[in-house]
Amino acid sequence: MKIAIIGTGYVGLVTGTCLSDLGHKVTCIDLDKKKINNLKKGIVPIYEQGLEELVIKNIKKNNLSFTNSLKKGIKGAKTVFVCVQTPSKKDGSVELKYVYKVAKQLSENIESYKVIVNKSTVPVGTAKEVKKIIKKKYKGDFDVVSCPEFLREGSAVIDFFGADRIIVGCESEKSCQIMKEIFKKMKVKKIFTNLENAELVKYASNAFLATKISFINEMSNICERVGADVEVVARGMGLDRRIGQYFLRAGIGYGGSCFPKDVKGLNQISGTHGYDFKLLKAVIEVNNYQRQLLVERSEKILKNLKNKQITIFGLAFKNNTDDIRESAAIEIIKRLQKKGAKVQAYDPVAQKNAAKVLNNIIFWEDPYKACENSQALIIATEWPHYKDFDWKKIKHLLRRPIVLDGRNLLDPEKMKKLGFIYESIGR
Ligand code: UDX
């Protein structure tokens, strides 16, 4: 089937490429001329494992193409996936102007029946609003469906092909059949339902995962006070199949382009529909508290942070990505600098993006260089290879052997044996 993808960010580019790998003829559309020209050459602007190879493979197979022109890109396409950003506004509500702008452009350029697929995370009712906007100008037949994405950054390609479920909200049998046709090769559980259910399940899933994280972070604060180990408590909890082991890792809290936005978004959505989502307010509050924990601790250990040099391992919102949106690491760096600390940082892939939002900071490609003369080292993202560093060497490079592990990555016994003053979260 001929498919058009509008927006080539994390979601659009991964969705379009993976759909082309299923054998569909996919055209990805983006306003950014430089990005499109690079994509035509197989140069992928984001760090996503396995994506670049898939893009190159499907360009060669003539299943995947790129254009700046929406009119050209949607011509002949039976489905058009809308994958543009839906960021948070200042009040936490969801910014839908990019989605609505695309809807208006579609109303001016649709030339035959199409299924418009809302892939972006949007509040309940958005699909119906998109339909209204298109109907204003386009009097022909079309449908709008909701098909939320469940891709984690850093493992988006794996999450596409290994999805736990595909959720599709449709209003007509015709659009439902077309969506079944698109995913027919995927042996994944599918739910075909109405628009409201499909739009809400995405927020509910992300908000619940964020709630799990804030819950275990609250538990970590209790563990510290009663002499328990949150890693053992989390393992014990996770063996209950009703709870599950995932998303119970205590640390400096969640970040990224989804959880913060979707938790605030759902909080807003419930408020506008007359319900006070009390639990979500606590999830947000706990997450904000976790982010300042390590700043507080470094200030306590070093007495004060003025002119102290601190090293940060990790700049992105998590390992395996270069994305620094809502990154706890970035917030911690800004708080440290505000207290007069001098910060040096190492991250395997996110330095370029971090340099766009940080000042007065030294970035190092070499983690050992990043440690030289620092009075403390903070671990902010959970890259597994940090464990294989020569920590004896790091101890001699640091001016003071202080490590604050914000992701509970390292073994407390080993670190203490090496002579570090080692602190982590909930242990
Ligand atoms: C998330 C959802 O997982 C995905 O299904 C949705 O489509 C998009 O949002 P993503 O934001 O890419 O994916 O990252 P994820 O791996 O979910 O981690 C989100 C944040 O939570 C990261 O900052 C991570 O460090 C943190 N986290 C995750 C924890 O603090 N503890 C955990 O146990 C898991």
Side-chain angles (χ1 to χ4, degrees):
M1 184 186 301
K2 194 171 179 334
I3 295 175
I5 302 279
I6 302 177
T8 57
Y10 283 92
V11 175
L13 186 55
V14 171
T15 302
T17 305
C18 293
L19 285 171
S20 73
D21 207 53
L22 289 176
H24 297 297
K25 291 282 179 208
V26 177
T27 302
C28 292
I29 305 157
D30 201 294
L31 297 171
D32 183 331
K33 285 194 168 38
K34 188 160 165 281
K35 186 193 263 193
I36 290 293
N37 288 336
N38 281 333
L39 284 167
K40 284 177 177 171
K41 291 179 263 180
I43 300 166
V44 169
I46 52 175
Y47 177 87
E48 264 305 334
Q49 281 171 337
L51 183 59
E52 192 152 279
E53 298 87 324
L54 266 189
V55 167
I56 294 166
K57 171 188 162 193
N58 285 289
I59 291 175
K60 283 193 182 121
K61 284 172 70 177
N62 209 13
N63 278 347
L64 183 61
S65 61
F66 300 92
T67 177
N68 290 123
S69 157
L70 182 137
K71 187 180 182 74
K72 253 172 58 188
I74 67 169
K75 196 166 172 28
K78 189 164 259 184
T79 53
V80 180
F81 283 70
V82 180
C83 305
V84 293
Q85 67 274 38
T86 53
S88 292
K89 288 186 196 166
K90 280 209 173 39
D91 65 359
S93 61
V94 185
E95 177 56 87
L96 291 168
K97 66 181 179 185
Y98 304 103
V99 172
Y100 293 158
K101 185 165 166 253
V102 165
K104 190 166 173 308
Q105 289 170 326
L106 287 169
S107 72
E108 293 153 357
N109 291 285
I110 291 185
E111 89 300 343
S112 61
Y113 173 81
K114 294 188 192 312
V115 176
I116 311 298
V117 185
N118 264 354
K119 180 58 81 176
S120 303
T121 306
V122 292
V124 177
T126 305
K128 287 193 168 134
E129 192 53 36
V130 165
K131 188 167 185 174
K132 257 195 262 168
I133 294 170
I134 296 176
K135 267 195 153 153
K136 270 193 201 126
K137 200 111 188 243
Y138 179 65
K139 305 304 175 200
D141 188 16
F142 72 98
D143 276 300
V144 179
V145 306
S146 166
C147 180
E149 54 85 16
F150 299 102
L151 307 174
R152 286 168 301 163
E153 287 185 33
S155 52
V157 174
I158 297 164
D159 287 350
F160 181 94
F161 291 111
D164 291 328
R165 75 296 205 195
I166 292 172
I167 310 268
V168 183
C170 320
E171 275 189 314
S172 73
E173 190 46 35
K174 183 176 180 183
S175 57
C176 197
Q177 287 312 319
I178 289 170
M179 294 307 286
K180 282 181 179 155
E181 171 65 21
I182 288 179
F183 296 115
K184 73 169 186 295
K185 282 188 187 167
M186 293 181 71
K187 304 283 167 271
V188 173
K189 286 194 199 73
K190 298 169 183 113
I191 295 181
F192 288 84
T193 182
N194 69 19
L195 292 172
E196 290 73 18
N197 292 337
E199 287 171 330
L200 201 53
V201 80
K202 165 73 186 186
Y203 279 102
S205 304
N206 271 6
F208 183 73
L209 290 168
T211 303
K212 271 188 99 172
I213 294 168
S214 280
F215 181 86
I216 201 64
N217 281 333
E218 290 253 79
M219 285 311 301
S220 74
N221 293 312
I222 295 169
C223 286
E224 286 177 2
R225 285 158 176 75
V226 301
D229 180 336
V230 73
E231 298 299 316
V232 178
V233 170
R235 211 165 31 252
M237 287 170 66
L239 290 173
D240 181 326
R241 70 173 75 90
R242 295 168 302 173
I243 298 174
Q245 58 177 329
Y246 299 110
F247 285 72
L248 284 178
R249 283 197 332 266
I252 51 177
Y254 61 78
S257 63
C258 295
F259 281 4
K261 163 178 77 74
D262 293 351
V263 170
K264 282 186 268 187
L266 183 56
N267 190 29
Q268 278 287 333
I269 292 162
S270 46
T272 47
H273 288 79
Y275 182 74
D276 175 19
F277 205 142
K278 295 165 274 307
L279 195 57
L280 279 191
K281 290 179 175 58
V283 167
I284 296 168
E285 196 187 328
V286 169
N287 202 53
N288 292 337
Y289 175 77
Q290 290 304 110
R291 291 175 159 225
Q292 55 81 34
L293 262 185
L294 295 189
V295 178
E296 233 179 44
R297 294 218 179 130
S298 42
E299 195 164 27
K300 199 164 141 230
I301 297 176
L302 295 172
K303 301 294 173 269
N304 80 65
L305 292 171
K306 203 152 178 41
N307 296 321
K308 296 289 187 344
Q309 184 175 292
I310 312 268
T311 295
I312 301 265
F313 276 1
L315 293 161
F317 77 93
K318 66 171 183 176
N319 60 304
N320 261 344
T321 180
D322 61 356
D323 192 346
I324 53 138
R325 285 176 290 182
E326 298 278 342
S327 159
I330 299 288
E331 188 173 326
I332 289 170
I333 289 170
K334 288 182 176 172
R335 286 170 184 255
L336 289 169
Q337 289 179 323
K338 226 164 149 189
K339 289 177 178 285
K342 307 256 172 289
V343 178
Q344 308 205 104
Y346 159 79
D347 182 292
V349 293
Q351 295 193 15
K352 202 152 86 8
N353 287 336
K356 294 174 196 159
V357 297
L358 290 171
N359 303 309
N360 311 319
I361 175 168
I362 303 171
F363 295 112
W364 292 97
E365 294 297 324
D366 175 340
Y368 298 104
K369 280 271 178 218
C371 293
E372 276 177 19
N373 280 327
S374 286
Q375 276 103 335
L377 164 62
I378 290 177
I379 295 177
T381 52
E382 59 274 43
W383 280 95
H385 70 277
Y386 293 173
K387 289 184 206 166
D388 309 326
F389 285 162
D390 180 346
W391 285 94
K392 213 180 263 173
K393 180 178 170 185
I394 288 177
K395 180 170 176 281
H396 296 302
L397 289 167
L398 290 169
R399 200 183 305 172
R400 294 188 59 184
I402 296 170
V403 171
L404 301 169
D405 186 352
R407 296 292 184 188
N408 291 355
L409 192 72
L410 304 174
D411 177 334
E413 290 319 308
K414 275 196 194 135
M415 294 302 278
K416 282 173 183 139
K417 271 203 194 101
L418 284 171
F420 282 98
I421 300 166
Y422 174 81
E423 289 209 7
S424 55
I425 307 276
R427 300 192 288 183

Short mmCIF file of all heavy atoms in Angstrom, two decimals, residues 2-23:
data_model
loop_
_atom_site.label_atom_id
_atom_site.label_comp_id
_atom_site.label_asym_id
_atom_site.label_seq_id
_atom_site.Cartn_x
_atom_site.Cartn_y
_atom_site.Cartn_z
N LYS A 2 0.43 2.31 -0.70
CA LYS A 2 1.20 3.56 -0.71
C LYS A 2 0.83 4.35 0.55
O LYS A 2 -0.33 4.58 0.83
CB LYS A 2 0.88 4.37 -1.97
CG LYS A 2 1.89 5.50 -2.20
CD LYS A 2 1.76 6.19 -3.53
CE LYS A 2 2.75 7.35 -3.75
NZ LYS A 2 3.28 8.06 -2.59
N ILE A 3 1.86 4.68 1.33
CA ILE A 3 1.65 5.36 2.61
C ILE A 3 2.47 6.65 2.64
O ILE A 3 3.61 6.66 2.15
CB ILE A 3 2.10 4.43 3.78
CG1 ILE A 3 1.20 3.18 3.83
CG2 ILE A 3 2.09 5.17 5.11
CD1 ILE A 3 1.64 2.15 4.87
N ALA A 4 1.88 7.70 3.18
CA ALA A 4 2.63 8.95 3.38
C ALA A 4 2.80 9.17 4.88
O ALA A 4 1.91 8.85 5.67
CB ALA A 4 1.88 10.13 2.77
N ILE A 5 3.99 9.69 5.25
CA ILE A 5 4.28 9.98 6.66
C ILE A 5 4.60 11.47 6.73
O ILE A 5 5.51 11.94 6.04
CB ILE A 5 5.54 9.19 7.14
CG1 ILE A 5 5.33 7.69 6.93
CG2 ILE A 5 5.87 9.56 8.57
CD1 ILE A 5 4.52 6.97 7.97
N ILE A 6 3.86 12.21 7.55
CA ILE A 6 4.15 13.64 7.70
C ILE A 6 4.88 13.85 9.02
O ILE A 6 4.34 13.59 10.09
CB ILE A 6 2.85 14.49 7.67
CG1 ILE A 6 2.11 14.24 6.35
CG2 ILE A 6 3.18 15.97 7.84
CD1 ILE A 6 0.78 14.96 6.24
N GLY A 7 6.15 14.31 8.91
CA GLY A 7 6.99 14.49 10.11
C GLY A 7 8.01 13.35 10.19
O GLY A 7 7.62 12.19 10.27
N THR A 8 9.30 13.73 10.16
CA THR A 8 10.33 12.67 10.21
C THR A 8 11.17 12.82 11.49
O THR A 8 12.40 12.79 11.46
CB THR A 8 11.27 12.79 8.97
OG1 THR A 8 11.84 14.11 8.98
CG2 THR A 8 10.53 12.52 7.69
N GLY A 9 10.48 12.95 12.62
CA GLY A 9 11.15 12.92 13.93
C GLY A 9 11.31 11.47 14.38
O GLY A 9 11.22 10.55 13.56
N TYR A 10 11.50 11.27 15.71
CA TYR A 10 11.70 9.90 16.22
C TYR A 10 10.57 8.99 15.77
O TYR A 10 10.76 7.87 15.34
CB TYR A 10 11.75 9.93 17.77
CG TYR A 10 13.05 10.42 18.31
CD1 TYR A 10 13.24 11.77 18.61
CD2 TYR A 10 14.11 9.55 18.50
CE1 TYR A 10 14.45 12.22 19.09
CE2 TYR A 10 15.33 10.00 19.00
CZ TYR A 10 15.49 11.33 19.29
OH TYR A 10 16.69 11.79 19.77
N VAL A 11 9.33 9.49 15.88
CA VAL A 11 8.18 8.61 15.60
C VAL A 11 7.98 8.45 14.09
O VAL A 11 7.91 7.33 13.57
CB VAL A 11 6.89 9.17 16.26
CG1 VAL A 11 5.68 8.33 15.85
CG2 VAL A 11 7.04 9.19 17.77
N GLY A 12 7.95 9.57 13.37
CA GLY A 12 7.66 9.49 11.94
C GLY A 12 8.69 8.71 11.16
O GLY A 12 8.35 7.84 10.34
N LEU A 13 9.96 8.98 11.43
CA LEU A 13 11.02 8.33 10.66
C LEU A 13 11.06 6.82 10.95
O LEU A 13 11.17 5.99 10.05
CB LEU A 13 12.38 8.96 10.98
CG LEU A 13 13.56 8.48 10.13
CD1 LEU A 13 13.28 8.64 8.65
CD2 LEU A 13 14.84 9.22 10.52
N VAL A 14 10.91 6.47 12.23
CA VAL A 14 10.91 5.04 12.58
C VAL A 14 9.67 4.35 12.00
O VAL A 14 9.76 3.31 11.36
CB VAL A 14 10.96 4.87 14.12
CG1 VAL A 14 10.73 3.41 14.51
CG2 VAL A 14 12.29 5.37 14.67
N THR A 15 8.51 4.97 12.17
CA THR A 15 7.26 4.36 11.66
C THR A 15 7.33 4.19 10.15
O THR A 15 7.07 3.11 9.61
CB THR A 15 6.06 5.24 12.05
OG1 THR A 15 6.03 5.39 13.47
CG2 THR A 15 4.74 4.65 11.57
N GLY A 16 7.74 5.24 9.44
CA GLY A 16 7.81 5.17 7.97
C GLY A 16 8.80 4.13 7.49
O GLY A 16 8.48 3.31 6.62
N THR A 17 9.97 4.12 8.11
CA THR A 17 11.01 3.16 7.69
C THR A 17 10.56 1.72 7.95
O THR A 17 10.70 0.85 7.08
CB THR A 17 12.32 3.46 8.44
OG1 THR A 17 12.67 4.83 8.22
CG2 THR A 17 13.45 2.57 7.97
N CYS A 18 10.00 1.48 9.13
CA CYS A 18 9.57 0.12 9.46
C CYS A 18 8.39 -0.33 8.60
O CYS A 18 8.33 -1.48 8.16
CB CYS A 18 9.21 0.02 10.94
SG CYS A 18 10.63 0.24 12.03
N LEU A 19 7.48 0.59 8.28
CA LEU A 19 6.36 0.23 7.38
C LEU A 19 6.90 -0.09 5.99
O LEU A 19 6.44 -1.03 5.33
CB LEU A 19 5.35 1.38 7.30
CG LEU A 19 4.44 1.56 8.52
CD1 LEU A 19 3.64 2.87 8.41
CD2 LEU A 19 3.50 0.37 8.70
N SER A 20 7.93 0.62 5.55
CA SER A 20 8.52 0.32 4.22
C SER A 20 9.21 -1.04 4.28
O SER A 20 9.20 -1.81 3.32
CB SER A 20 9.52 1.40 3.81
OG SER A 20 10.73 1.31 4.56
N ASP A 21 9.73 -1.40 5.45
CA ASP A 21 10.39 -2.71 5.57
C ASP A 21 9.38 -3.85 5.56
O ASP A 21 9.72 -4.98 5.25
CB ASP A 21 11.20 -2.76 6.87
CG ASP A 21 12.39 -3.73 6.78
OD1 ASP A 21 13.18 -3.60 5.82
OD2 ASP A 21 12.47 -4.65 7.61
N LEU A 22 8.12 -3.50 5.83
CA LEU A 22 7.04 -4.50 5.74
C LEU A 22 6.60 -4.69 4.29
O LEU A 22 5.75 -5.52 3.99
CB LEU A 22 5.83 -4.07 6.59
CG LEU A 22 5.98 -4.13 8.11
CD1 LEU A 22 4.72 -3.56 8.78
CD2 LEU A 22 6.23 -5.57 8.60
N GLY A 23 7.15 -3.81 3.40
CA GLY A 23 6.82 -3.95 1.97
C GLY A 23 5.92 -2.84 1.44
O GLY A 23 5.60 -2.80 0.25
#
